[in-house]
Coordinates of all heavy atoms in Angstrom, one line a residue:
M1 N 0.8 -1.2 0.0 CA 0.0 0.0 0.0 C 0.9 1.3 0.0 O 0.5 2.3 -0.6 CB -0.9 0.0 1.2 CG -2.0 -1.0 1.1 SD -3.2 -1.3 2.4 CE -3.2 0.2 3.3
I2 N 2.0 1.2 0.7 CA 2.9 2.3 0.7 C 3.4 2.6 -0.7 O 3.5 3.8 -1.1 CB 4.0 2.1 1.7 CG1 3.5 2.0 3.1 CG2 5.1 3.1 1.6 CD1 4.5 1.5 4.2
W3 N 3.8 1.5 -1.4 CA 4.3 1.7 -2.8 C 3.2 2.4 -3.7 O 3.6 3.3 -4.5 CB 4.7 0.4 -3.4 CG 5.2 0.4 -4.8 CD1 4.6 -0.1 -5.9 CD2 6.4 1.1 -5.2 NE1 5.3 0.2 -7.0 CE2 6.4 1.0 -6.6 CE3 7.4 1.8 -4.6 CZ2 7.4 1.5 -7.4 CZ3 8.4 2.4 -5.4 CH2 8.4 2.2 -6.8
V4 N 2.0 2.0 -3.6 CA 0.9 2.6 -4.4 C 0.8 4.0 -4.0 O 0.6 4.9 -4.9 CB -0.4 1.8 -4.2 CG1 -1.5 2.5 -4.8 CG2 -0.3 0.4 -4.7
A5 N 0.9 4.4 -2.8 CA 0.8 5.8 -2.4 C 1.9 6.6 -2.9 O 1.7 7.7 -3.5 CB 0.7 5.9 -0.9
V6 N 3.1 6.0 -2.9 CA 4.3 6.8 -3.4 C 4.2 7.0 -4.9 O 4.4 8.1 -5.4 CB 5.6 6.0 -3.0 CG1 6.8 6.6 -3.8 CG2 5.9 6.1 -1.5
I7 N 3.8 5.9 -5.6 CA 3.7 6.0 -7.1 C 2.6 7.0 -7.5 O 2.7 7.8 -8.4 CB 3.4 4.6 -7.7 CG1 4.7 3.8 -7.6 CG2 2.9 4.7 -9.1 CD1 5.9 4.3 -8.4
A8 N 1.5 7.0 -6.7 CA 0.4 7.9 -7.0 C 0.9 9.3 -6.9 O 0.5 10.2 -7.7 CB -0.8 7.6 -6.1
I9 N 1.6 9.6 -5.9 CA 2.1 11.0 -5.7 C 3.1 11.3 -6.8 O 3.1 12.4 -7.3 CB 2.8 11.1 -4.3 CG1 1.7 11.0 -3.2 CG2 3.6 12.4 -4.2 CD1 2.2 10.9 -1.8
L10 N 4.0 10.4 -7.1 CA 5.0 10.7 -8.2 C 4.4 10.9 -9.5 O 4.8 11.8 -10.3 CB 6.0 9.5 -8.3 CG 7.0 9.3 -7.1 CD1 7.8 8.1 -7.3 CD2 7.9 10.6 -7.0
F11 N 3.3 10.2 -9.8 CA 2.6 10.4 -11.1 C 1.9 11.7 -11.2 O 1.5 12.2 -12.3 CB 1.7 9.2 -11.4 CG 2.3 8.0 -11.9 CD1 1.9 6.8 -11.6 CD2 3.5 8.1 -12.7 CE1 2.5 5.6 -12.0 CE2 4.1 6.9 -13.2 CZ 3.6 5.7 -12.8
M12 N 1.6 12.3 -10.0 CA 0.9 13.6 -10.0 C 1.9 14.8 -10.0 O 1.5 15.9 -10.0 CB 0.0 13.7 -8.9 CG -1.2 12.8 -9.1 SD -2.6 13.1 -7.9 CE -2.0 12.2 -6.5
L13 N 3.2 14.6 -9.9 CA 4.2 15.7 -10.0 C 4.2 16.2 -11.4 O 3.9 15.6 -12.4 CB 5.5 15.2 -9.6 CG 5.7 14.8 -8.1 CD1 7.1 14.2 -7.9 CD2 5.4 15.9 -7.2
P14 N 4.6 17.5 -11.5 CA 4.8 18.1 -12.8 C 5.8 17.4 -13.7 O 6.8 16.9 -13.2 CB 5.2 19.5 -12.6 CG 5.3 19.7 -11.1 CD 5.0 18.4 -10.4
E15 N 5.6 17.3 -15.0 CA 6.5 16.6 -15.9 C 7.6 17.5 -16.4 O 8.6 17.0 -16.7 CB 5.7 16.0 -17.0 CG 4.7 14.9 -16.6 CD 3.9 14.4 -17.8 OE1 4.5 14.3 -18.9 OE2 2.8 14.0 -17.6
F16 N 7.3 18.8 -16.5 CA 8.2 19.7 -17.1 C 8.4 20.9 -16.2 O 7.5 21.3 -15.4 CB 7.7 20.2 -18.5 CG 7.5 19.0 -19.5 CD1 6.3 18.6 -19.8 CD2 8.6 18.4 -20.1 CE1 6.0 17.5 -20.6 CE2 8.4 17.3 -20.9 CZ 7.1 16.9 -21.2
S17 N 9.5 21.6 -16.4 CA 9.7 22.9 -15.8 C 10.1 23.9 -16.8 O 10.9 23.6 -17.7 CB 10.8 22.7 -14.7 OG 11.0 23.9 -14.0
P18 N 9.7 25.1 -16.8 CA 8.8 25.7 -15.9 C 7.3 25.3 -16.2 O 7.0 24.8 -17.3 CB 8.9 27.2 -16.2 CG 9.4 27.2 -17.6 CD 10.2 26.0 -17.8
I19 N 6.5 25.4 -15.1 CA 5.1 25.0 -15.3 C 4.3 26.2 -15.8 O 4.4 27.3 -15.3 CB 4.6 24.6 -13.9 CG1 5.4 23.4 -13.4 CG2 3.1 24.2 -14.0 CD1 5.1 23.1 -11.9
N20 N 3.6 25.9 -16.9 CA 2.7 26.9 -17.4 C 1.4 26.2 -17.8 O 1.2 25.0 -17.5 CB 3.3 27.6 -18.6 CG 3.7 26.7 -19.8 OD1 3.1 25.7 -20.0 ND2 4.7 27.1 -20.5
R21 N 0.5 26.8 -18.5 CA -0.8 26.2 -18.8 C -0.7 25.0 -19.7 O -1.4 24.1 -19.6 CB -1.7 27.3 -19.5 CG -3.1 26.9 -19.6 CD -4.0 28.0 -20.0 NE -3.7 28.5 -21.3 CZ -4.3 29.4 -22.0 NH1 -5.4 29.9 -21.4 NH2 -4.0 29.7 -23.2
D22 N 0.3 25.0 -20.6 CA 0.5 23.9 -21.5 C 1.2 22.7 -20.9 O 1.0 21.5 -21.3 CB 1.3 24.3 -22.7 CG 0.5 25.4 -23.5 OD1 -0.7 25.3 -23.5 OD2 1.2 26.2 -24.1
T23 N 2.0 22.9 -19.8 CA 2.8 21.8 -19.2 C 2.3 21.4 -17.8 O 2.8 20.5 -17.2 CB 4.3 22.2 -19.1 OG1 4.4 23.3 -18.2 CG2 4.9 22.5 -20.4
F24 N 1.2 22.0 -17.4 CA 0.6 21.7 -16.1 C 0.0 20.3 -16.1 O -0.6 19.9 -17.0 CB -0.4 22.7 -15.7 CG -0.9 22.6 -14.3 CD1 -0.2 23.0 -13.3 CD2 -2.2 22.0 -14.1 CE1 -0.6 22.9 -11.9 CE2 -2.6 21.9 -12.8 CZ -1.9 22.3 -11.7
N25 N 0.3 19.5 -15.0 CA -0.3 18.2 -14.8 C -1.6 18.4 -14.1 O -1.6 18.7 -12.9 CB 0.7 17.3 -14.1 CG 0.2 15.9 -14.0 OD1 -0.9 15.5 -14.4 ND2 1.0 15.0 -13.4
Y26 N -2.7 18.1 -14.7 CA -4.0 18.3 -14.1 C -4.5 17.1 -13.3 O -5.6 17.1 -12.8 CB -5.0 18.6 -15.2 CG -4.8 20.0 -15.8 CD1 -4.1 20.1 -17.0 CD2 -5.4 21.1 -15.2 CE1 -3.9 21.4 -17.5 CE2 -5.2 22.3 -15.7 CZ -4.4 22.5 -16.9 OH -4.2 23.7 -17.4
A27 N -3.7 16.0 -13.2 CA -4.1 14.9 -12.4 C -4.4 15.2 -10.9 O -5.4 14.7 -10.4 CB -3.0 13.8 -12.4
P28 N -3.6 16.0 -10.2 CA -4.0 16.4 -8.8 C -5.3 17.1 -8.7 O -6.1 16.8 -7.8 CB -2.8 17.3 -8.4 CG -1.7 17.0 -9.3 CD -2.3 16.6 -10.6
I29 N -5.7 17.9 -9.7 CA -7.0 18.6 -9.7 C -8.1 17.5 -9.8 O -9.1 17.6 -9.1 CB -7.0 19.7 -10.7 CG1 -6.0 20.8 -10.3 CG2 -8.4 20.2 -10.8 CD1 -5.9 21.8 -11.4
A30 N -7.9 16.6 -10.8 CA -8.9 15.6 -11.0 C -9.1 14.7 -9.8 O -10.2 14.4 -9.4 CB -8.5 14.7 -12.2
V31 N -8.0 14.3 -9.1 CA -8.1 13.5 -7.9 C -8.7 14.3 -6.8 O -9.6 13.8 -6.1 CB -6.7 13.0 -7.5 CG1 -6.7 12.4 -6.1 CG2 -6.1 12.0 -8.5
G32 N -8.4 15.6 -6.7 CA -9.0 16.4 -5.7 C -10.5 16.5 -5.9 O -11.3 16.5 -4.9
V33 N -10.9 16.7 -7.1 CA -12.4 16.8 -7.4 C -13.1 15.6 -7.0 O -14.2 15.6 -6.4 CB -12.6 17.2 -8.9 CG1 -14.1 17.0 -9.3 CG2 -12.1 18.6 -9.2
V34 N -12.5 14.4 -7.4 CA -13.2 13.1 -7.0 C -13.2 12.9 -5.5 O -14.3 12.5 -5.0 CB -12.4 11.9 -7.7 CG1 -12.9 10.6 -7.2 CG2 -12.6 12.0 -9.2
L35 N -12.2 13.2 -4.8 CA -12.2 13.1 -3.4 C -13.1 14.1 -2.7 O -13.8 13.7 -1.7 CB -10.8 13.3 -2.8 CG -9.7 12.2 -3.1 CD1 -8.4 12.6 -2.6 CD2 -10.2 10.9 -2.5
L36 N -13.2 15.3 -3.2 CA -14.2 16.3 -2.7 C -15.6 15.8 -2.9 O -16.4 15.9 -2.0 CB -13.9 17.6 -3.4 CG -14.8 18.8 -2.9 CD1 -14.4 19.1 -1.4 CD2 -14.6 20.0 -3.8
Y37 N -15.9 15.3 -4.1 CA -17.2 14.8 -4.4 C -17.6 13.6 -3.5 O -18.7 13.6 -2.9 CB -17.3 14.4 -5.9 CG -18.7 13.7 -6.2 CD1 -19.8 14.5 -6.4 CD2 -18.8 12.4 -6.3 CE1 -21.0 13.9 -6.7 CE2 -20.0 11.8 -6.6 CZ -21.1 12.5 -6.8 OH -22.3 11.9 -7.0
A38 N -16.7 12.7 -3.4 CA -16.9 11.5 -2.5 C -17.1 11.9 -1.1 O -18.0 11.4 -0.4 CB -15.8 10.5 -2.6
G39 N -16.3 12.9 -0.6 CA -16.5 13.3 0.8 C -17.8 14.0 1.0 O -18.5 13.8 2.0
I40 N -18.2 14.9 0.1 CA -19.5 15.6 0.3 C -20.6 14.5 0.2 O -21.6 14.6 1.0 CB -19.6 16.7 -0.8 CG1 -18.6 17.8 -0.5 CG2 -21.1 17.2 -0.8 CD1 -18.5 18.9 -1.5
Y41 N -20.5 13.6 -0.8 CA -21.6 12.6 -0.9 C -21.7 11.8 0.4 O -22.8 11.5 0.8 CB -21.2 11.7 -2.1 CG -22.3 10.6 -2.3 CD1 -23.5 10.9 -2.7 CD2 -21.9 9.3 -2.0 CE1 -24.4 9.8 -2.9 CE2 -22.8 8.3 -2.1 CZ -24.1 8.5 -2.6 OH -25.0 7.5 -2.8
W42 N -20.5 11.4 1.0 CA -20.5 10.6 2.2 C -21.2 11.5 3.3 O -22.1 10.9 4.1 CB -19.1 10.3 2.6 CG -19.1 9.7 4.0 CD1 -18.7 10.3 5.2 CD2 -19.5 8.4 4.4 NE1 -18.8 9.4 6.2 CE2 -19.3 8.2 5.8 CE3 -20.0 7.3 3.7 CZ2 -19.6 7.1 6.5 CZ3 -20.2 6.1 4.4 CH2 -20.1 6.0 5.8
L43 N -20.8 12.7 3.5 CA -21.4 13.5 4.6 C -22.9 13.8 4.4 O -23.6 13.8 5.4 CB -20.7 14.9 4.6 CG -19.2 14.8 5.2 CD1 -18.5 16.1 5.0 CD2 -19.2 14.3 6.6
V44 N -23.3 14.0 3.2 CA -24.7 14.4 2.9 C -25.6 13.1 2.9 O -26.7 13.2 3.5 CB -24.8 15.1 1.6 CG1 -26.3 15.3 1.2 CG2 -24.1 16.4 1.6
S45 N -25.2 12.0 2.4 CA -26.1 10.9 2.2 C -25.6 9.6 2.7 O -26.3 8.9 3.5 CB -26.4 10.8 0.7 OG -27.3 9.6 0.5
A46 N -24.5 9.1 2.3 CA -24.1 7.7 2.5 C -23.8 7.3 3.9 O -24.1 6.2 4.3 CB -22.8 7.4 1.7
R47 N -23.4 8.3 4.8 CA -23.2 7.9 6.2 C -24.5 7.5 6.9 O -24.4 6.9 7.9 CB -22.4 9.0 6.9 CG -23.2 10.2 7.1 CD -22.4 11.3 7.8 NE -23.2 12.5 7.9 CZ -23.3 13.2 8.9 NH1 -22.7 12.9 10.0 NH2 -24.0 14.3 8.9
K48 N -25.6 7.9 6.3 CA -26.9 7.6 6.9 C -27.4 6.2 6.6 O -28.2 5.7 7.4 CB -27.9 8.7 6.5 CG -27.5 10.1 6.9 CD -28.5 11.1 6.4 CE -28.0 12.5 6.7 NZ -28.7 13.5 6.0
W49 N -27.0 5.7 5.5 CA -27.5 4.4 5.1 C -26.5 3.3 4.8 O -26.8 2.1 4.8 CB -28.4 4.5 3.8 CG -27.7 5.2 2.7 CD1 -27.8 6.5 2.3 CD2 -26.9 4.5 1.7 NE1 -27.0 6.7 1.2 CE2 -26.5 5.5 0.8 CE3 -26.5 3.2 1.5 CZ2 -25.7 5.2 -0.3 CZ3 -25.7 2.9 0.4 CH2 -25.3 3.9 -0.5
F50 N -25.2 3.7 4.5 CA -24.2 2.6 4.2 C -23.7 2.0 5.5 O -23.2 2.7 6.4 CB -23.1 3.3 3.4 CG -22.1 2.2 3.0 CD1 -22.4 1.4 1.9 CD2 -20.8 2.1 3.6 CE1 -21.4 0.4 1.5 CE2 -19.9 1.2 3.2 CZ -20.2 0.3 2.2
T51 N -23.8 0.7 5.6 CA -23.4 0.0 6.8 C -22.3 -1.0 6.5 O -21.9 -1.7 7.4 CB -24.6 -0.8 7.4 OG1 -25.1 -1.7 6.4 CG2 -25.7 0.1 7.8
G52 N -21.8 -1.0 5.3 CA -20.6 -1.8 4.9 C -21.1 -3.0 4.0 O -22.3 -3.1 3.7
P53 N -20.2 -3.8 3.6 CA -20.5 -4.9 2.8 C -21.4 -5.9 3.5 O -21.2 -6.1 4.7 CB -19.2 -5.5 2.3 CG -18.2 -5.0 3.4 CD -18.7 -3.8 3.9
K54 N -22.3 -6.6 2.8 CA -23.1 -7.6 3.4 C -22.7 -8.9 2.9 O -22.3 -9.2 1.7 CB -24.6 -7.3 2.9 CG -25.1 -6.0 3.4 CD -26.6 -5.8 3.0 CE -27.0 -4.4 3.6 NZ -28.3 -4.0 3.1
A55 N -22.7 -9.9 3.8 CA -22.4 -11.3 3.5 C -23.4 -11.8 2.5 O -24.6 -11.6 2.7 CB -22.3 -12.1 4.8
Q56 N -22.9 -12.6 1.6 CA -23.7 -13.2 0.5 C -24.1 -14.6 0.9 O -24.5 -15.4 0.0 CB -23.0 -13.1 -0.8 CG -22.7 -11.7 -1.3 CD -24.0 -10.9 -1.6 OE1 -24.9 -11.4 -2.2 NE2 -24.0 -9.7 -1.1
G57 N -24.1 -15.0 2.1 CA -24.4 -16.3 2.5 C -24.0 -16.5 4.0 O -23.4 -15.7 4.6
T58 N -24.4 -17.7 4.5 CA -24.1 -18.1 5.9 C -22.6 -18.5 5.9 O -22.0 -18.7 4.9 CB -25.0 -19.2 6.4 OG1 -24.7 -20.4 5.6 CG2 -26.4 -18.8 6.3
E59 N -22.1 -18.6 7.1 CA -20.7 -19.1 7.3 C -20.5 -20.5 6.6 O -19.5 -20.7 6.0 CB -20.3 -19.1 8.7 CG -20.2 -17.8 9.4 CD -18.9 -17.0 8.9 OE1 -17.9 -17.7 8.5 OE2 -19.0 -15.8 8.8
A60 N -21.5 -21.3 6.8 CA -21.4 -22.7 6.2 C -21.3 -22.6 4.7 O -20.6 -23.4 4.1 CB -22.5 -23.5 6.7
E61 N -22.2 -21.8 4.1 CA -22.2 -21.7 2.6 C -20.9 -21.1 2.1 O -20.4 -21.6 1.1 CB -23.4 -20.8 2.2 CG -24.7 -21.4 2.4 CD -25.9 -20.4 2.2 OE1 -25.7 -19.2 2.3 OE2 -27.0 -20.9 1.8
L62 N -20.4 -20.1 2.8 CA -19.1 -19.6 2.3 C -18.0 -20.6 2.5 O -17.1 -20.6 1.6 CB -18.8 -18.3 3.1 CG -19.8 -17.1 2.9 CD1 -19.5 -16.0 3.8 CD2 -19.8 -16.7 1.4
A63 N -18.0 -21.3 3.6 CA -16.9 -22.4 3.8 C -17.0 -23.4 2.7 O -16.0 -23.9 2.2 CB -17.1 -23.0 5.1
H64 N -18.2 -23.8 2.3 CA -18.4 -24.8 1.2 C -17.9 -24.2 -0.1 O -17.2 -25.0 -0.9 CB -19.9 -25.1 1.1 CG -20.2 -26.1 0.0 ND1 -19.8 -27.4 0.1 CD2 -20.8 -25.9 -1.2 CE1 -20.2 -28.0 -1.0 NE2 -20.8 -27.2 -1.8
I65 N -18.1 -23.0 -0.4 CA -17.6 -22.4 -1.7 C -16.1 -22.3 -1.6 O -15.5 -22.7 -2.6 CB -18.2 -20.9 -1.8 CG1 -19.7 -21.0 -2.1 CG2 -17.5 -20.2 -3.0 CD1 -20.4 -19.7 -2.0
E66 N -15.5 -22.0 -0.5 CA -14.1 -21.9 -0.4 C -13.5 -23.3 -0.6 O -12.4 -23.5 -1.2 CB -13.6 -21.4 0.9 CG -13.9 -19.9 1.0 CD -13.4 -19.3 2.3 OE1 -12.8 -20.0 3.1 OE2 -13.8 -18.1 2.6
Q67 N -14.2 -24.3 -0.1 CA -13.7 -25.7 -0.2 C -13.7 -26.1 -1.7 O -12.8 -26.8 -2.2 CB -14.5 -26.7 0.6 CG -14.1 -28.1 0.6 CD -14.9 -29.0 1.4 OE1 -16.1 -28.7 1.7 NE2 -14.4 -30.1 1.8
E68 N -14.8 -25.7 -2.4 CA -14.9 -26.1 -3.8 C -13.7 -25.4 -4.6 O -13.1 -26.0 -5.5 CB -16.2 -25.6 -4.4 CG -17.4 -26.4 -4.0 CD -18.7 -25.9 -4.5 OE1 -18.7 -24.8 -5.1 OE2 -19.7 -26.6 -4.3
F69 N -13.4 -24.2 -4.3 CA -12.3 -23.5 -5.0 C -11.0 -24.2 -4.7 O -10.1 -24.3 -5.5 CB -12.2 -22.0 -4.5 CG -13.2 -21.1 -5.3 CD1 -14.1 -20.3 -4.6 CD2 -13.3 -21.1 -6.6 CE1 -15.0 -19.5 -5.2 CE2 -14.1 -20.3 -7.3 CZ -15.0 -19.5 -6.6
S70 N -10.8 -24.6 -3.4 CA -9.6 -25.4 -3.1 C -9.5 -26.6 -3.9 O -8.4 -27.0 -4.4 CB -9.6 -25.7 -1.6 OG -9.6 -24.5 -0.8
Q71 N -10.6 -27.4 -4.1 CA -10.5 -28.6 -4.9 C -10.2 -28.3 -6.3 O -9.4 -29.0 -7.0 CB -11.9 -29.3 -4.7 CG -12.1 -29.9 -3.4 CD -13.5 -30.5 -3.2 OE1 -14.3 -30.3 -4.1 NE2 -13.8 -31.1 -2.1
I72 N -10.8 -27.2 -6.9 CA -10.5 -26.9 -8.3 C -9.0 -26.5 -8.4 O -8.4 -26.9 -9.4 CB -11.4 -25.7 -8.7 CG1 -12.9 -26.1 -8.8 CG2 -10.9 -25.1 -10.0 CD1 -13.8 -25.0 -9.0
E73 N -8.5 -25.8 -7.4 CA -7.1 -25.4 -7.5 C -6.2 -26.6 -7.4 O -5.2 -26.7 -8.2 CB -6.8 -24.5 -6.3 CG -5.5 -23.8 -6.3 CD -5.3 -22.8 -5.2 OE1 -5.8 -21.6 -5.3 OE2 -4.8 -23.2 -4.1
L74 N -6.5 -27.6 -6.6 CA -5.7 -28.8 -6.5 C -5.8 -29.6 -7.9 O -4.7 -30.1 -8.3 CB -6.2 -29.7 -5.4 CG -5.9 -29.3 -4.0 CD1 -6.6 -30.2 -3.0 CD2 -4.4 -29.2 -3.8
K75 N -6.9 -29.6 -8.5 CA -7.0 -30.3 -9.8 C -6.2 -29.6 -10.9 O -5.6 -30.2 -11.7 CB -8.5 -30.4 -10.2 CG -9.3 -31.3 -9.4 CD -10.8 -31.4 -9.9 CE -11.6 -32.3 -9.0 NZ -13.0 -32.3 -9.4
L76 N -6.2 -28.3 -10.8 CA -5.4 -27.5 -11.8 C -3.9 -27.7 -11.6 O -3.1 -27.8 -12.5 CB -5.7 -26.0 -11.7 CG -7.1 -25.6 -12.2 CD1 -7.3 -24.1 -11.9 CD2 -7.2 -25.9 -13.7
E77 N -3.5 -27.9 -10.3 CA -2.1 -28.1 -10.0 C -1.7 -29.5 -10.5 O -0.6 -29.7 -11.0 CB -1.8 -28.0 -8.5 CG -1.8 -26.6 -8.0 CD -1.7 -26.5 -6.5 OE1 -1.5 -27.5 -5.9 OE2 -1.7 -25.3 -6.0
E78 N -2.6 -30.5 -10.4 CA -2.3 -31.8 -10.9 C -2.1 -31.9 -12.4 O -1.3 -32.6 -13.0 CB -3.4 -32.8 -10.5 CG -3.5 -33.1 -9.1 CD -4.7 -34.0 -8.7 OE1 -5.5 -34.3 -9.6 OE2 -4.9 -34.2 -7.5
V79 N -2.9 -31.0 -13.1 CA -2.8 -31.0 -14.6 C -1.4 -30.4 -15.0 O -0.8 -30.8 -16.0 CB -3.9 -30.1 -15.2 CG1 -3.8 -29.9 -16.7 CG2 -5.3 -30.8 -14.9
D80 N -0.9 -29.4 -14.3 CA 0.4 -28.8 -14.6 C 1.4 -29.8 -14.3 O 2.3 -30.2 -14.8 CB 0.6 -27.6 -13.8 CG -0.3 -26.4 -14.2 OD1 -0.8 -26.5 -15.3 OD2 -0.5 -25.5 -13.4

């Protein structure tokens, strides 16, 4: 996660010097607009109704699905 954060910051730095209207990197502005919109949306609406992800089955059903994936993975390893 640290690497992603560092790369995201590096990609938003200016590419050329001196900075003018033609060489300006607009990525930080675009990211700022998205973060501002998401923050306002959260404060106005989402915090009242969003409770997080919902489980798509019981613990037993999810364990069964994971077991099936494990069996498929073992079969694929046997083929290799």
Side-chain angles (χ1 to χ4, degrees):
M1 288 176 27
I2 293 170
W3 177 248
V4 171
V6 168
I7 288 298
I9 292 169
L10 289 177
F11 282 145
M12 287 194 277
L13 291 175
E15 296 179 31
F16 303 103
S17 183
I19 299 171
N20 59 31
R21 191 168 66 173
D22 296 327
T23 62
F24 187 75
N25 186 357
Y26 290 93
I29 294 174
V31 170
V33 168
V34 169
L35 291 176
L36 183 67
Y37 175 78
I40 291 171
Y41 179 72
W42 171 258
L43 289 173
V44 171
S45 177
R47 70 182 173 134
K48 298 174 186 168
W49 57 265
F50 184 74
T51 59
K54 296 181 182 172
Q56 298 294 317
T58 64
E59 289 290 328
E61 291 171 334
L62 295 174
H64 179 71
I65 292 170
E66 287 179 11
Q67 184 180 20
E68 287 178 355
F69 280 126
S70 296
Q71 291 172 354
I72 292 171
E73 191 174 273
L74 288 174
K75 289 180 183 177
L76 289 175
E77 287 176 0
E78 290 174 1
V79 172
D80 290 341

